[in-house]
Amino acid sequence: MMAGPALMAYAGLIVLAVVVAWLVARRARGARAFRHGSEVLSTAVRSAKRRFIVAAGFTAVILLAGFVTTIALPSALGLPLAVAPSVAGAAGLLLYAITPPPVSSVAERDVRVASLAPRRAWSFVSRRALTGLAVLLVATCVLLILTGITSSPDDAGRSRAITFADDAFMSSATPYPGWFYAVPLLVALVCLAVAALLALRRIAITPSLPGPGLERQDRAWRVASTRVVVDLVVASLTLQLGGVAVFAGNAIHNAAFNPGVPLVTQMVGDALFIIGIAALVASVVWFTLAALRAFGLPHTVASDVATQSTTHEATGR
Amino acid sequence: MITLDLSDPTPPYEQIRGQLVGLIRSGVLDVGHKLPSIRQLASDLRIAPGTVARAYKELEGAGLIESSRAAGTRVRPGQQPDTALRDAAQQYATRARTNGASLSDALSAVRAVWEHVS
């Protein structure tokens, strides 16, 4: 009964976060953008920003479609909404990955410059972010496998309930993220991981800014764009993890609310519920960060270039 | 970094090959240094991949680099510079620059005496 309004409130929070991000970014843009940049850098960054906004819009549409489908098709038992975070994130990132960036032309007589450092999909991701992503992905997969293993069939034989029973009693609760939900969710997570890799690869293989002296600018837009992709993936993963943990925790709590079930089981359910809420809040934070960084990409890159230039001048390197 | 000047009469693949030879022989690119993929270098320089592929093929033929599907293209061992030769070149270059000579003048001076050195 409470799930609908709670999800609506959650969606409202995300929308509010995006609006706030847009207002903050609009104020931050203004005169400071690209004081230290160049025309080619400006073109590259504005294109990346445009493609991120289109991708974010597409992600929001898929999320909404998952929500509407769940309401329109009660027989699907919430499965469209369950897979929506990963599928929507994957769809948005895939759209970013397949949208070609503009190729900045070079005059025939201009000297062309290229770095001899190979660029890979993970070249611009910090070690901390990479570790965080891996931990989140593994945690979500482990939780799904655990809920799958501990699930039991509901009245219709679908693996979406949890049951505690011995000779004296039997207590069961549903919906629980058993194999009925876990298998599609694991497939959706693989899709999200592949889409993230393709989006990061798109950033890495985009031709470098032409001409000498643009190495720092070239790296700055790649690092800033990579941060947006990482934030979007973290937002999708935490949303997925939070949803699974909340439903698992709630079902365990309800099923364990029986004198025959050890108290520790109820505590596990409560702990999962709290972790789930924390993950859902974190997803709002990361989605806001992603939106802030996407909308403010030109400003971020200009600031990064300016900072690097200052460091370069100070150290003489 | 590698630069390409299309107004230079030297063919593009030769410019790439020559610069890579210099960077490897001078030790700027260490043994095992991984070079960018043909596709990356070609797209960054806005030239056809075949041009970069030709330069890489010639370097591989000369034994300076090795390519494999798994490890990519890397600098082969045994290509490091003769330290004494590099030191001598360093001294000569320093002297030439101090005297206001250009790179072209310095290279011409070496060529002029090259044949007379037994």
Side-chain angles (χ1 to χ4, degrees):
Chain A
M1 285 289 278
M2 289 300 290
L7 286 170
M8 290 285 280
Y10 183 65
L13 265 176
I14 293 177
V15 172
L16 187 67
V18 174
V19 171
V20 171
W22 185 78
L23 289 171
V24 171
R26 195 174 63 169
R27 283 187 63 188
R29 277 200 300 266
R32 288 208 289 167
F34 287 105
R35 190 178 292 167
H36 298 270
S38 65
E39 195 52 45
V40 281
L41 175 63
S42 172
T43 306
V45 172
R46 285 184 211 291
S47 157
K49 177 187 164 182
R50 194 167 46 246
R51 287 182 295 135
F52 272 131
I53 291 170
V54 171
F58 192 50
T59 302
V61 167
I62 302 286
L63 268 175
L64 194 67
F67 189 72
V68 170
T69 310
T70 299
I71 293 171
L73 291 173
S75 58
L77 300 170
L79 194 56
L81 188 62
V83 296
S86 290
V87 170
L93 291 171
L94 271 180
L95 186 64
Y96 178 84
I98 62 168
T99 317
V103 179
S104 41
S105 58
V106 186
E108 191 70 16
R109 284 165 45 197
D110 283 356
V111 173
R112 296 140 192 235
V113 179
S115 164
L116 285 174
R119 294 191 300 268
R120 301 183 188 89
W122 52 89
S123 293
F124 304 97
V125 189
S126 69
R127 189 180 291 268
R128 201 174 67 171
L130 211 55
T131 310
L133 280 177
V135 167
L136 262 177
L137 191 64
V138 170
T140 311
C141 288
V142 167
L143 181 61
L144 283 170
I145 291 168
L146 283 176
T147 54
I149 290 169
T150 53
S151 64
S152 58
D154 64 2
D155 295 342
R158 290 167 296 217
S159 178
R160 54 183 293 272
I162 184 162
T163 305
F164 298 105
D166 67 4
D167 296 338
F169 74 95
M170 191 183 87
S171 175
S172 189
T174 190
Y176 181 73
W179 293 121
F180 178 78
Y181 297 104
V183 172
L185 281 172
L186 286 167
V187 173
L189 280 176
V190 171
C191 292
L192 178 65
V194 171
L197 205 62
L198 289 175
L200 292 173
R201 187 170 172 273
R202 162 62 73 192
I203 293 168
I205 66 169
T206 299
S208 61
L209 300 177
L214 293 173
E215 297 81 21
R216 284 200 297 275
Q217 286 91 332
D218 188 66
R219 183 174 171 78
W221 88 258
R222 289 182 207 275
V223 169
S225 298
T226 298
R227 272 192 223 129
V228 178
V229 171
V230 169
D231 290 345
L232 279 174
V233 178
V234 171
S236 295
L237 280 175
T238 45
L239 185 58
Q240 196 76 84
L241 177 68
V244 172
V246 162
F247 275 92
N250 199 38
I252 291 172
H253 178 90
N254 290 341
F257 197 67
N258 191 303
V261 182
L263 189 64
V264 71
T265 312
Q266 250 192 56
M267 288 167 68
V268 168
D270 293 343
L272 265 179
F273 189 82
I274 291 166
I275 289 169
I277 294 294
L280 292 177
V281 171
S283 83
V284 177
V285 172
W286 286 107
F287 194 86
T288 310
L289 272 176
L292 270 170
R293 284 173 172 159
F295 282 104
L297 201 64
H299 177 258
T300 307
V301 174
S303 299
D304 286 356
V305 171
T307 307
Q308 286 177 31
S309 298
T310 310
T311 311
H312 181 75
E313 283 160 17
T315 58
R317 284 184 293 162
Chain B
M1 299 300 290
I2 198 159
T3 58
L4 186 66
D5 185 356
L6 292 186
S7 62
D8 190 318
T10 311
Y13 85 90
E14 181 55 30
Q15 290 186 44
I16 297 168
R17 191 199 68 81
Q19 287 177 65
L20 285 173
V21 168
L23 291 167
I24 293 169
R25 294 251 193 256
S26 64
V28 173
L29 297 180
D30 292 331
V31 173
H33 178 98
K34 190 172 180 184
L35 294 173
S37 66
I38 289 171
R39 190 177 164 185
Q40 180 188 317
L41 198 52
S43 68
D44 285 358
L45 292 171
R46 272 78 173 171
I47 54 174
T51 307
V52 179
R54 185 173 175 187
Y56 275 19
K57 196 175 175 186
E58 296 213 355
L59 289 167
E60 204 172 346
L64 274 83
I65 61 173
E66 56 192 354
S67 297
S68 75
R69 193 175 289 270
T73 307
R74 292 180 183 277
V75 175
R76 285 187 66 185
Q79 307 303 326
Q80 295 316 292
D82 179 334
T83 314
L85 183 65
R86 190 171 60 183
D87 290 347
Q90 176 80 43
Q91 281 179 17
Y92 173 65
T94 307
R95 180 84 176 267
R97 289 198 84 162
T98 308
N99 290 345
S102 66
L103 175 62
S104 176
D105 294 339
L107 292 175
S108 297
V110 173
R111 282 196 195 95
V113 298
W114 189 261
E115 297 298 329
H116 304 295
V117 179
S118 56

